[in-house]
Amino acid sequence: MKQIVLSLLVDNNPGVLARVAALFSRRGYNIDSLTAGVTNNPKYTRITVAVSGDDQILEQIRNQIGKLEEVRRTIVLDDKESVCRELVLVKVMADKKDKQDIIAIADVFRAKIVDVGASSVMIELTGTQNKLDAFLNLMADFEVLEMVRTGLTGLGRGISTL
């Protein structure tokens, strides 16, 4: 199994995200990550989908997405020719001693402390999936109260556009 990240440029119409997601569920494919947002041109939305499968399944997915009427363009964001990032917010239970340890770990990962409470710390970290996974593995030594990840999003390098 390998993972690919697809970047779709779609018409900014109601229900387009549901139609893209339904394509996956109808065929029994799993979505690893899904993000969507309007582009610099309000006529279009960019949807980033990370999917896993063998070569045949991934090719089928690309072909099926291309058949959707509202999809204007699809590209694969590969590691060498694109930049992909994800955001995680983590709220951790922390007494005075733990706060110092948590802040030290956050500093190593260039994370931001975005909220400090009497007995908790909230951390924001942006980076690759591997970086976030490594950070979360270290946070497992503490009591994680809540965590949320945004999912992958990305752009191709250079002046080429979708």
Side-chain angles (χ1 to χ4, degrees):
M1 295 268 280
K2 74 178 193 182
Q3 183 183 65
I4 62 169
V5 179
L6 299 171
S7 184
L8 317 174
L9 186 66
V10 299
D11 293 336
N12 189 11
N13 295 334
V16 68
L17 180 60
R19 285 186 283 286
V20 170
L23 179 143
F24 287 86
S25 66
R26 279 193 311 266
R27 287 162 179 78
Y29 302 140
N30 190 40
I31 296 172
D32 298 332
S33 171
L34 175 70
T35 60
V38 70
T39 66
N40 55 319
N41 182 342
K43 287 177 51 179
Y44 301 108
T45 293
R46 181 184 294 263
I47 299 174
T48 306
V49 186
V51 294
S52 297
D54 60 28
D55 289 334
Q56 179 184 356
I57 288 172
L58 296 174
E59 187 61 30
Q60 260 185 329
I61 290 170
R62 290 179 63 192
N63 291 337
Q64 293 299 316
I65 286 173
K67 291 179 183 178
L68 292 175
E69 185 176 317
E70 294 164 309
V71 174
R72 297 293 159 226
R73 188 145 182 243
T74 303
I75 61 168
V76 175
L77 297 175
D78 66 20
D79 292 339
K80 294 178 182 152
E81 296 181 22
S82 64
V83 176
C84 291
R85 295 291 184 265
E86 187 175 2
L87 167 72
V88 66
L89 291 173
V90 183
K91 189 187 312 178
V92 182
M93 179 76 81
D95 58 22
K96 286 184 178 185
K97 179 198 173 297
D98 285 344
K99 282 181 186 172
Q100 293 306 313
D101 294 341
I102 292 166
I103 291 169
I105 293 169
D107 286 345
V108 168
F109 283 86
R110 295 187 181 136
K112 293 182 194 174
I113 306 298
V114 293
D115 185 60
V116 177
S119 56
S120 68
V121 175
M122 187 182 307
I123 306 153
E124 170 188 318
L125 178 61
T126 304
T128 64
Q129 287 181 316
N130 290 339
K131 179 180 179 180
L132 273 54
D133 290 342
F135 175 76
L136 292 172
N137 284 338
L138 290 175
M139 287 295 105
D141 292 339
F142 304 95
E143 184 180 348
V144 175
L145 300 171
E146 289 184 286
M147 180 202 65
V148 64
R149 289 176 83 153
T150 61
L152 280 175
T153 192
L155 292 173
R157 295 183 185 273
I159 61 171
S160 64
T161 62
L162 183 61

